[in-house]
Amino acid sequence: MVVVMRPNTCQEDIERLVERFKRMDLDVGITNGVGCTILGLVGDTACVDMDKISMNPHVERVMRVQEPYKKANRKFHPEDTCVQVGTAAIGGGRFSVVAGPCSVESEAQIISVAEDVKEAGAALLRGGAFKPRTSPYSFQGMGLEGLELLLEAKAATGLPIVSEIMSPKYVDVFEETVDVVQVGARNMQNFDLLKEVGRMSKPVLLKRGLSNSYEEWIMSAEYIMAGGNENVILCERGVRTFETYTRNTLDVSAIPAIKQMSHLPVIVDPSHAAGLYWMVEPLAMAAVAAGADGLIIEVHNDPPHAKCDGQQSLTPEKFGHLMGRIQGLVDLMGKTLVR
Amino acid sequence: MVVVMRPNTCQEDIERLVERFKRMDLDVGITNGVGCTILGLVGDTACVDMDKISMNPHVERVMRVQEPYKKANRKFHPEDTCVQVGTAAIGGGRFSVVAGPCSVESEAQIISVAEDVKEAGAALLRGGAFKPRTSPYSFQGMGLEGLELLLEAKAATGLPIVSEIMSPKYVDVFEETVDVVQVGARNMQNFDLLKEVGRMSKPVLLKRGLSNSYEEWIMSAEYIMAGGNENVILCERGVRTFETYTRNTLDVSAIPAIKQMSHLPVIVDPSHAAGLYWMVEPLAMAAVAAGADGLIIEVHNDPPHAKCDGQQSLTPEKFGHLMGRIQGLVDLMGKTLVR
Amino acid sequence: MVVVMRPNTCQEDIERLVERFKRMDLDVGITNGVGCTILGLVGDTACVDMDKISMNPHVERVMRVQEPYKKANRKFHPEDTCVQVGTAAIGGGRFSVVAGPCSVESEAQIISVAEDVKEAGAALLRGGAFKPRTSPYSFQGMGLEGLELLLEAKAATGLPIVSEIMSPKYVDVFEETVDVVQVGARNMQNFDLLKEVGRMSKPVLLKRGLSNSYEEWIMSAEYIMAGGNENVILCERGVRTFETYTRNTLDVSAIPAIKQMSHLPVIVDPSHAAGLYWMVEPLAMAAVAAGADGLIIEVHNDPPHAKCDGQQSLTPEKFGHLMGRIQGLVDLMGKTLVR
Amino acid sequence: MVVVMRPNTCQEDIERLVERFKRMDLDVGITNGVGCTILGLVGDTACVDMDKISMNPHVERVMRVQEPYKKANRKFHPEDTCVQVGTAAIGGGRFSVVAGPCSVESEAQIISVAEDVKEAGAALLRGGAFKPRTSPYSFQGMGLEGLELLLEAKAATGLPIVSEIMSPKYVDVFEETVDVVQVGARNMQNFDLLKEVGRMSKPVLLKRGLSNSYEEWIMSAEYIMAGGNENVILCERGVRTFETYTRNTLDVSAIPAIKQMSHLPVIVDPSHAAGLYWMVEPLAMAAVAAGADGLIIEVHNDPPHAKCDGQQSLTPEKFGHLMGRIQGLVDLMGKTLVR
């Protein structure tokens, strides 16, 4: 951490601050120049509150030079983490595709899609039972009944299931039913929910918020890990920018950035990023080429009649085509496609 | 709603779509041109799912021309809504200031700040008991004990209290203790929480999410109103942009925009927008001049030792200075400062 | 400037780098901690190339702690700069309003608008002769003829004129005709043009680019000042964000921020920020209340038939109403409205 | 184009507007509903000024449904355009890599880098003679001397050269020296410069502005094409977002989007997007996998001593490694790497 003192702060005030830092078990180095003094702090600065220091009337600016996260930090855990879910695996050279409809709509629909995506090579089945919708007047998902239908689809195909949790009150049900608990983009900083899923035994798929930085995203993973659940999969799904042609702007740089910062696996959701079915394939390819550990793709047996997000859903046929191209690219990347 | 057909769609396919809209009780007008057909839809389009229509293989684009919100819509409710909280009132020409510390830290602290802000002219007391913090290692608030201390401060000063709810599990406690329930920026699209506070009897202060559009913000108010709770106060607190000098970028245009779109009152939080205490006064002045119905300001008796957000907190002295200037400007705007 | 060394850099490599800094006449302080060394550099760091240092294989990160601008820096020039243009004055407690049409369209139009805005209290006349248009098929301005018509309007009313320069090839003509040379948002980083206007004797109104930070904006002013022209007026005109309701998002925080960073005057263009005529008045009021030194407002005698930007232009009548409110607010702010 | 009338506009006013559209040779369809009338306009709407119509007091909103660009529009030119530059070719299944230093620094440097990148498989040589720098105190490029050195490097290697033009005054020199004229991101809406390069005979590499939409970017290409120069190569180089870890945020979605909207080739500049040398390779791979027609990569023989942008430059060795991976991926994509 670096503390820049205001010009012309007297020696006494500087010393008082230095003493305070030393009492916090930090090493302090002082650079004195004409009208400017810089303090360098070294030690366990993760728990130092920057805001508090910057409120000191003699302080001009405080800058962090070390990361505020520990459990998710690659520096303290150099090897890639691989999250296992049944036979599927994400990270550390193993690549898995999660596929399925935006929302579970009926027994016939979810089983049909599950069979189709398994056939095409998906390793996990996604399906929304509880749906975050912008409008209170839109379809809100089938709820608990949707989870039941997902279990049937799992029984029929053997695919582990991924579904989004929207409220702490369903933690017990999700613990018993799903294989991977998804935390949606809009809940990435729902800290209460993060603490709850941190106590679960199931892996967590943590989507990036629409305007959250890499560091904030990793800090949300840190919340879950600090609770004891270290199986976190990060999922880039596009950020909000000025461009309105696409629903969001896929940030592929997130993949190499997160791999530098953290040991956790990163997957990509090109369906929500683009919001346009015909753009899913090129974005999925880009994600794999940038080093992603997996993909999550919306597939629907009848997109024009989907209850939500039909515009970004692939038909099973188009998904099959995509999987063919992904297989070739995953091979080229020297990874193993788990199916 | 406007539907643009793909070039060269045959007459039959167009007619089939038109029939479908007519069965939804919509009036349809058709514009035929060389290589381009446009359908205009009029009627109750709030429940029409744009995504679904845009999935029709013959449709190029769908555009909404009417607002998807009803209860919050000024068109159906031309008069300003004024939310009453005890003697305080927000909206319809009545201007109130909410002030207090970022978080409740002790009995002495909250009572001292409450007395100071009351003295200076605040009409409501704010104070965080449950704090949304980016890091799991930061102070998370005093919780239920914090709510108790707020009640003491209310008893001592008579000021109604505003505090943030972070989880559905505290709905009952908040219903019994606070006077205004705050939903934070990070929870603006925590739809489960919105539904819960929609069932409460207390007014809701709904902060705008860091990257949410005016329409999405009003749709979140609509969630609360659809649940039966029509006392919603919207609070602009800055959006996230590329500029890093300030914590966020205060969007003053939100004030006239929301007043055009909705009848709900709008207040502004310059403290979180700026993140810098010395910028709070000019931004507060700007908000009043742009037509805001109130302000929410962080005030701390000892900012350098605040447990959070000290950097953006005013001392009671600076807050007194601000209130003097606000009083003059509220008068100039032809509104009444409630104190 | 602060240089963070990579963990485990050997002492020799650190010393070599320290030597290099000392040869650049910088004072260097060293903080050694477990696995982390921080160097604090003090002295004339404005000319140190951060990129170059950060390329050193032993360097993890470089952070600037001093501003890279000098002539525009308030630290070296504590008093407000007031730019005089004939009888008009902007800055240092003097407030002027620039008004006029987006583009000059005819002799009758520009003279009529000039007379109207003068009557209402404007101190300068704006009018575009060369227009930056997104489409090559849109009206591009009257060019040199437009400048002639502005001179006629100046002769008729006495108002000094402000007009936008789009190319270095017109520097001589602008030097002879206009009173204030405007550099548009899209040319804020057209460094070649900045150098040219830096050699002119006329004050420069420098608009902020649509996605430029405060620092970049001041650096563009520094380009002009480094060329010898120190009469720079900064103009905030909205930045680009995800919100599409308004044309751009007015950033009122720019006003107090620039006043902290620089001694140059700041004015605001609410017309281009909002893109909606009915929003101009509240945003203009907000700008004044936040401490702006002036306003630039689009006024057209017949907005529905304006050749460009009619949607954001005020009628002379509405402008008169606005000026009445501005007068009261400028008084309240303790400034003098120059008219 | 769609025009939404204000609620309760009388029949007469609607008819007057319809007449006006018919006089502009447009077909007009009318949809009448309770409290809402929608007009659909079909015909040559590219020249209709939306702003002007929206100023009509009876008009609530105007929406464009057809693209405002013609020459760059894929609808009127379905085949991919392939831009030929000597033996290099970009577009239509042919993939070329442009490589070289950020700026030309000396004869030895540019010839050495040119030989290295040719050896590794680059088809064109880039090098800045005129440099857009944020600070007036930074190295501004070698100017005309830099162009001379580029010609020497071309003579030595046979590689066609790409260099950035910053001012209309150098149009003649660039016409005589370079093979591809680059227009930088900061000049994407320097319309005067666009008109000038539109008259040149050399292909133009048009970088996307830091906050410009796809449509604005294509409109800038349209400026060049409208001037007669149809050899435009679009170059995505990252947009500005809230994320500060990378210099900019690479928008890979731009590749499939532009290919849908336009027939022009699209290349990607991962060096400027990331601003970090170690991120260039994964982003370059992502660009190829998303369908880019080429890459432009910064390569420097001695990055730590580069006069600018060293932090994002690859060494010739790293560039060689990248080219090996690119070759494999271009093959997989079914394209031909031109070298």
Side-chain angles (χ1 to χ4, degrees):
Chain A
M1 192 167 280
V2 170
V3 177
V4 184
M5 306 302 296
R6 281 193 199 284
N8 311 319
T9 301
C10 72
Q11 207 47 38
E12 214 167 72
D13 287 320
I14 293 175
E15 274 160 26
R16 205 171 302 134
L17 193 62
V18 168
E19 277 317 303
R20 190 170 141 202
F21 291 134
K22 287 189 174 160
R23 282 195 304 273
M24 296 163 88
D25 267 333
L26 301 172
D27 287 320
V28 187
I30 306 177
T31 310
N32 271 308
V34 182
C36 183
T37 298
I38 299 174
L39 308 183
L41 312 188
V42 180
D44 182 13
T45 58
C47 302
V48 176
D49 190 330
M50 280 176 63
D51 282 353
K52 234 160 154 171
I53 297 169
S54 64
M55 273 314 293
N56 184 299
H58 306 298
V59 168
E60 182 161 314
R61 226 158 127 200
V62 184
M63 291 176 291
R64 198 178 274 288
V65 301
Q66 285 161 309
E67 299 84 7
Y69 45 93
K70 299 174 194 173
K71 288 176 180 288
N73 198 331
R74 188 178 281 275
K75 279 193 187 148
F76 310 128
H77 187 309
E79 284 84 44
D80 285 350
T81 284
C82 173
V83 175
Q84 287 281 147
V85 191
T87 54
I90 297 177
R94 313 254 261 135
F95 189 100
S96 294
V97 176
V98 186
C102 178
S103 61
V104 180
E105 296 172 18
S106 71
E107 188 184 359
Q109 175 242 18
I110 191 66
I111 290 182
S112 147
V113 175
E115 285 170 346
D116 286 341
V117 300
K118 183 184 174 153
E119 168 76 22
L124 298 105
L125 174 68
R126 63 152 289 157
F130 298 89
K131 297 300 308 171
R133 302 303 301 273
T134 307
S135 167
Y137 310 123
S138 299
F139 173 62
Q140 308 275 317
M142 294 181 77
L144 297 176
E145 196 188 339
L147 290 181
E148 291 302 324
L149 297 181
L150 281 169
L151 283 178
E152 285 186 40
K154 179 182 176 179
T157 59
L159 292 179
I161 55 183
V162 182
S163 200
E164 178 170 352
I165 191 166
M166 282 179 63
S167 170
K169 71 181 168 230
Y170 293 117
V171 162
D172 292 343
V173 188
F174 273 72
E175 180 72 44
E176 282 159 37
T177 49
V178 310
D179 298 288
V180 177
V181 182
Q182 180 179 320
V183 174
R186 285 166 190 76
N187 280 320
M188 193 204 89
Q189 290 193 318
N190 179 344
F191 300 114
D192 200 72
L193 186 62
L194 296 178
K195 287 177 187 171
E196 298 281 352
V197 300
R199 287 187 208 106
M200 295 178 72
S201 74
K202 299 295 176 65
V204 179
L205 192 160
L206 178 66
K207 289 203 163 184
R208 180 182 182 185
L210 272 80
S211 63
N212 288 108
S213 67
Y214 302 150
E215 190 174 293
E216 288 169 343
W217 189 16
I218 295 180
M219 288 308 285
S220 285
E222 188 85 9
Y223 257 95
I224 298 167
M225 297 171 90
N229 188 347
E230 306 218 341
N231 284 311
V232 180
I233 302 158
L234 298 170
C235 178
E236 159 67 29
R237 44 80 70 220
V239 292
R240 190 160 268 191
T241 68
F242 59 87
E243 180 60 67
T244 56
Y245 187 92
T246 45
R247 183 167 168 170
N248 292 112
T249 296
L250 181 68
D251 178 12
V252 280
S253 312
I255 304 164
I258 292 295
K259 295 214 158 285
Q260 180 85 358
M261 301 163 86
S262 176
H263 53 88
L264 296 173
V266 192
I267 69 169
V268 168
D269 175 350
S271 308
H272 281 87
L276 299 163
Y277 73 91
W278 56 267
M279 212 185 260
V280 170
E281 189 170 301
L283 295 190
M285 292 290 283
V288 180
D293 298 304
L295 293 166
I296 177 165
I297 309 272
E298 290 200 354
V299 179
H300 196 283
N301 51 333
D302 184 13
H305 297 100
K307 288 207 173 165
C308 68
D309 285 349
Q311 196 167 11
Q312 70 198 35
S313 296
L314 297 186
T315 56
E317 193 190 357
K318 286 201 177 74
F319 178 66
H321 182 264
L322 168 66
M323 286 303 294
R325 295 195 68 202
I326 293 300
Q327 175 75 66
L329 186 50
V330 169
D331 290 348
L332 188 80
M333 298 295 291
K335 293 185 180 171
T336 307
L337 180 69
V338 182
R339 44 194 310 169
Chain B
M1 193 166 280
V2 169
V3 177
V4 185
M5 306 301 296
R6 279 192 201 284
N8 310 319
T9 301
C10 72
Q11 207 47 38
E12 214 167 72
D13 287 320
I14 294 175
E15 273 158 27
R16 204 170 302 135
L17 193 62
V18 168
E19 276 317 302
R20 188 168 143 201
F21 290 134
K22 287 189 173 159
R23 282 195 304 271
M24 295 162 88
D25 267 334
L26 301 171
D27 287 322
V28 187
I30 306 178
T31 310
N32 271 309
V34 182
C36 182
T37 297
I38 298 174
L39 308 182
L41 312 188
V42 180
D44 182 11
T45 58
C47 302
V48 176
D49 191 330
M50 280 176 65
D51 281 352
K52 235 160 151 172
I53 297 169
S54 63
M55 273 314 295
N56 184 298
H58 305 298
V59 167
E60 180 160 317
R61 226 158 124 199
V62 184
M63 290 175 292
R64 199 177 272 290
V65 302
Q66 284 162 310
E67 300 83 7
Y69 45 93
K70 300 173 192 172
K71 289 175 179 289
N73 198 331
R74 188 176 282 275
K75 280 195 185 145
F76 310 127
H77 187 308
E79 285 85 43
D80 284 350
T81 284
C82 173
V83 175
Q84 288 281 146
V85 191
T87 54
I90 297 176
R94 314 256 260 134
F95 189 101
S96 293
V97 177
V98 186
C102 177
S103 60
V104 179
E105 296 170 19
S106 71
E107 188 182 0
Q109 173 241 23
I110 191 66
I111 290 182
S112 147
V113 175
E115 286 171 343
D116 286 341
V117 301
K118 184 186 174 148
E119 169 76 22
L124 299 106
L125 174 68
R126 63 151 289 157
F130 297 88
K131 297 300 308 171
R133 301 304 300 276
T134 307
S135 167
Y137 311 121
S138 299
F139 174 60
Q140 308 275 317
M142 293 182 77
L144 297 175
E145 196 187 340
L147 290 180
E148 290 302 322
L149 297 181
L150 282 168
L151 283 178
E152 287 186 41
K154 179 182 176 179
T157 59
L159 292 179
I161 54 182
V162 182
S163 200
E164 179 171 352
I165 192 167
M166 282 179 63
S167 171
K169 71 181 168 230
Y170 293 116
V171 162
D172 292 343
V173 188
F174 272 72
E175 180 71 45
E176 281 159 35
T177 49
V178 310
D179 298 288
V180 176
V181 181
Q182 179 179 320
V183 174
R186 285 167 189 76
N187 280 319
M188 194 203 90
Q189 291 193 318
N190 179 344
F191 301 114
D192 199 73
L193 185 62
L194 296 178
K195 287 177 188 171
E196 298 280 352
V197 300
R199 288 186 207 108
M200 294 178 72
S201 75
K202 300 296 176 64
V204 178
L205 192 161
L206 178 65
K207 291 205 162 184
R208 179 182 183 187
L210 272 82
S211 62
N212 288 107
S213 67
Y214 302 151
E215 191 175 291
E216 287 169 342
W217 189 16
I218 295 180
M219 287 308 286
S220 286
E222 188 85 9
Y223 256 95
I224 298 166
M225 299 171 89
N229 187 348
E230 305 218 343
N231 284 312
V232 180
I233 303 157
L234 297 170
C235 177
E236 160 66 28
R237 43 82 71 220
V239 292
R240 190 160 268 190
T241 67
F242 60 86
E243 181 60 68
T244 55
Y245 187 92
T246 46
R247 183 166 166 167
N248 292 113
T249 297
L250 181 68
D251 177 12
V252 282
S253 312
I255 304 163
I258 292 295
K259 294 214 157 289
Q260 180 85 358
M261 300 164 85
S262 177
H263 52 88
L264 296 174
V266 192
I267 70 169
V268 168
D269 175 350
S271 309
H272 281 88
L276 299 164
Y277 73 91
W278 56 267
M279 212 185 260
V280 170
E281 189 170 301
L283 295 190
M285 293 290 283
V288 181
D293 298 303
L295 291 167
I296 177 165
I297 309 272
E298 289 200 353
V299 179
H300 196 282
N301 51 334
D302 183 13
H305 298 100
K307 288 209 175 166
C308 68
D309 285 349
Q311 195 168 12
Q312 70 197 36
S313 297
L314 297 186
T315 56
E317 192 189 359
K318 287 201 176 76
F319 178 67
H321 183 264
L322 167 67
M323 285 304 294
R325 297 195 67 201
I326 293 298
Q327 175 74 66
L329 185 51
V330 169
D331 290 349
L332 188 81
M333 298 295 292
K335 293 186 180 170
T336 307
L337 180 69
V338 182
R339 46 193 308 168
Chain C
M1 192 166 281
V2 170
V3 177
V4 184
M5 306 302 296
R6 279 193 202 285
N8 311 319
T9 301
C10 72
Q11 207 47 36
E12 214 167 71
D13 288 318
I14 294 175
E15 273 158 28
R16 205 170 302 136
L17 192 62
V18 168
E19 277 317 301
R20 189 169 143 202
F21 292 134
K22 287 189 173 158
R23 283 195 303 271
M24 295 162 88
D25 267 333
L26 302 172
D27 287 321
V28 187
I30 306 177
T31 311
N32 272 308
V34 182
C36 182
T37 297
I38 298 174
L39 309 182
L41 311 189
V42 181
D44 182 12
T45 58
C47 302
V48 177
D49 191 331
M50 279 175 65
D51 281 352
K52 235 160 152 172
I53 297 168
S54 64
M55 273 315 294
N56 184 298
H58 305 297
V59 168
E60 181 161 314
R61 226 158 124 199
V62 184
M63 290 176 292
R64 199 177 272 289
V65 301
Q66 283 161 311
E67 300 83 8
Y69 45 93
K70 300 174 193 174
K71 289 176 180 289
N73 198 331
R74 188 177 281 275
K75 280 195 186 145
F76 310 127
H77 187 308
E79 284 85 43
D80 284 350
T81 284
C82 173
V83 175
Q84 288 281 145
V85 191
T87 54
I90 297 176
R94 313 255 262 136
F95 189 100
S96 294
V97 177
V98 186
C102 177
S103 60
V104 180
E105 295 171 18
S106 71
E107 187 182 2
Q109 174 242 21
I110 190 66
I111 290 181
S112 147
V113 175
E115 285 170 345
D116 285 341
V117 301
K118 183 186 175 149
E119 169 75 22
L124 299 104
L125 174 68
R126 61 152 288 155
F130 297 88
K131 298 298 309 170
R133 302 303 300 276
T134 307
S135 167
Y137 310 122
S138 299
F139 173 62
Q140 307 276 317
M142 294 182 77
L144 297 175
E145 196 187 340
L147 290 180
E148 291 301 324
L149 298 181
L150 282 169
L151 283 177
E152 285 187 41
K154 178 182 178 179
T157 59
L159 292 179
I161 54 183
V162 182
S163 200
E164 178 171 352
I165 191 167
M166 282 179 62
S167 171
K169 70 180 169 232
Y170 293 116
V171 162
D172 292 343
V173 188
F174 272 72
E175 180 72 43
E176 281 159 37
T177 49
V178 310
D179 297 289
V180 177
V181 181
Q182 179 178 320
V183 174
R186 284 165 190 77
N187 280 319
M188 193 203 90
Q189 291 193 319
N190 178 344
F191 301 114
D192 199 73
L193 186 61
L194 297 178
K195 286 177 188 171
E196 298 281 352
V197 301
R199 288 186 208 108
M200 294 179 72
S201 75
K202 299 296 176 66
V204 179
L205 191 161
L206 178 65
K207 291 204 161 184
R208 180 182 182 186
L210 272 82
S211 62
N212 288 108
S213 68
Y214 302 150
E215 191 175 291
E216 287 169 342
W217 188 15
I218 295 180
M219 288 308 287
S220 285
E222 187 85 10
Y223 256 95
I224 299 167
M225 298 172 90
N229 188 347
E230 305 218 342
N231 285 312
V232 180
I233 302 157
L234 298 169
C235 177
E236 160 67 29
R237 43 80 72 220
V239 290
R240 190 160 267 191
T241 67
F242 59 86
E243 181 59 68
T244 55
Y245 186 93
T246 46
R247 182 167 167 167
N248 291 113
T249 297
L250 182 67
D251 178 12
V252 282
S253 313
I255 304 163
I258 292 295
K259 296 215 158 287
Q260 180 84 0
M261 299 163 86
S262 176
H263 53 87
L264 296 173
V266 192
I267 69 169
V268 168
D269 175 350
S271 309
H272 280 87
L276 298 163
Y277 73 91
W278 57 266
M279 212 185 259
V280 170
E281 189 170 301
L283 294 190
M285 293 291 282
V288 181
D293 299 303
L295 292 167
I296 176 163
I297 309 272
E298 290 200 352
V299 179
H300 196 282
N301 51 334
D302 183 13
H305 297 100
K307 288 208 174 165
C308 68
D309 284 349
Q311 195 168 12
Q312 71 197 35
S313 297
L314 297 186
T315 56
E317 193 190 359
K318 287 203 177 75
F319 179 66
H321 183 265
L322 167 67
M323 286 303 294
R325 297 194 67 202
I326 293 299
Q327 176 74 67
L329 186 51
V330 169
D331 290 349
L332 187 80
M333 298 294 292
K335 294 186 179 168
T336 307
L337 181 69
V338 183
R339 47 193 306 167
Chain D
M1 193 167 279
V2 169
V3 177
V4 184
M5 305 301 296
R6 279 192 200 285
N8 310 318
T9 302
C10 72
Q11 208 46 39
E12 215 167 71
D13 287 319
I14 294 175
E15 273 159 27
R16 205 170 303 134
L17 192 62
V18 168
E19 277 317 303
R20 190 169 141 202
F21 291 134
K22 287 188 173 158
R23 282 197 303 272
M24 294 163 89
D25 266 334
L26 301 172
D27 287 321
V28 187
I30 306 177
T31 310
N32 271 308
V34 182
C36 183
T37 297
I38 299 174
L39 308 182
L41 312 188
V42 180
D44 183 11
T45 58
C47 302
V48 176
D49 191 330
M50 281 175 63
D51 281 352
K52 235 161 154 169
I53 296 168
S54 64
M55 273 314 293
N56 185 299
H58 305 298
V59 168
E60 182 162 313
R61 226 159 124 198
V62 184
M63 290 176 292
R64 198 178 274 288
V65 301
Q66 285 162 309
E67 300 84 7
Y69 45 93
K70 299 174 194 173
K71 288 177 180 288
N73 198 332
R74 188 177 281 275
K75 278 194 186 147
F76 309 129
H77 186 309
E79 284 85 43
D80 285 350
T81 284
C82 173
V83 175
Q84 287 281 144
V85 191
T87 53
I90 297 176
R94 313 255 259 134
F95 189 100
S96 294
V97 176
V98 187
C102 177
S103 61
V104 180
E105 296 172 17
S106 71
E107 187 183 1
Q109 173 240 21
I110 191 67
I111 289 182
S112 145
V113 175
E115 286 171 346
D116 286 341
V117 300
K118 183 183 174 154
E119 168 76 21
L124 298 105
L125 174 68
R126 62 151 289 157
F130 298 88
K131 297 300 308 171
R133 302 302 301 275
T134 307
S135 167
Y137 310 122
S138 299
F139 173 61
Q140 308 275 316
M142 293 182 77
L144 297 176
E145 196 187 340
L147 289 181
E148 290 302 324
L149 298 181
L150 281 169
L151 283 178
E152 286 186 41
K154 179 182 176 179
T157 59
L159 292 179
I161 55 184
V162 183
S163 200
E164 179 171 352
I165 192 166
M166 283 179 61
S167 171
K169 71 180 168 231
Y170 293 116
V171 162
D172 293 342
V173 188
F174 273 73
E175 180 72 43
E176 281 160 37
T177 49
V178 310
D179 298 287
V180 177
V181 181
Q182 179 178 320
V183 174
R186 284 165 189 77
N187 280 320
M188 193 204 88
Q189 290 193 319
N190 178 344
F191 300 114
D192 201 73
L193 186 61
L194 296 178
K195 287 178 188 171
E196 298 281 352
V197 300
R199 287 185 208 108
M200 293 178 72
S201 75
K202 300 295 175 66
V204 179
L205 191 160
L206 178 66
K207 290 203 163 185
R208 180 182 182 186
L210 272 81
S211 63
N212 288 108
S213 68
Y214 303 151
E215 190 174 293
E216 288 169 342
W217 188 16
I218 295 180
M219 287 309 286
S220 286
E222 188 84 9
Y223 256 95
I224 298 167
M225 297 172 90
N229 188 347
E230 306 218 342
N231 284 312
V232 181
I233 303 158
L234 298 169
C235 178
E236 160 67 28
R237 45 79 71 220
V239 292
R240 191 159 267 191
T241 67
F242 59 86
E243 180 61 68
T244 55
Y245 187 92
T246 46
R247 182 167 168 169
N248 292 112
T249 297
L250 181 69
D251 178 11
V252 281
S253 312
I255 304 164
I258 292 296
K259 295 215 157 285
Q260 180 85 358
M261 301 164 85
S262 177
H263 53 87
L264 295 173
V266 192
I267 69 169
V268 168
D269 176 349
S271 309
H272 281 87
L276 299 164
Y277 74 91
W278 56 266
M279 213 185 259
V280 170
E281 188 170 301
L283 295 189
M285 292 290 284
V288 180
D293 298 304
L295 293 167
I296 177 165
I297 309 271
E298 290 200 353
V299 179
H300 196 282
N301 50 335
D302 183 13
H305 297 100
K307 288 208 174 165
C308 68
D309 284 350
Q311 196 168 13
Q312 69 198 34
S313 297
L314 297 187
T315 56
E317 192 190 359
K318 287 202 177 74
F319 178 66
H321 182 264
L322 167 67
M323 286 303 294
R325 296 194 69 201
I326 294 300
Q327 175 74 67
L329 187 50
V330 170
D331 290 347
L332 188 80
M333 298 295 291
K335 294 187 178 168
T336 307
L337 180 70
V338 182
R339 46 192 308 168

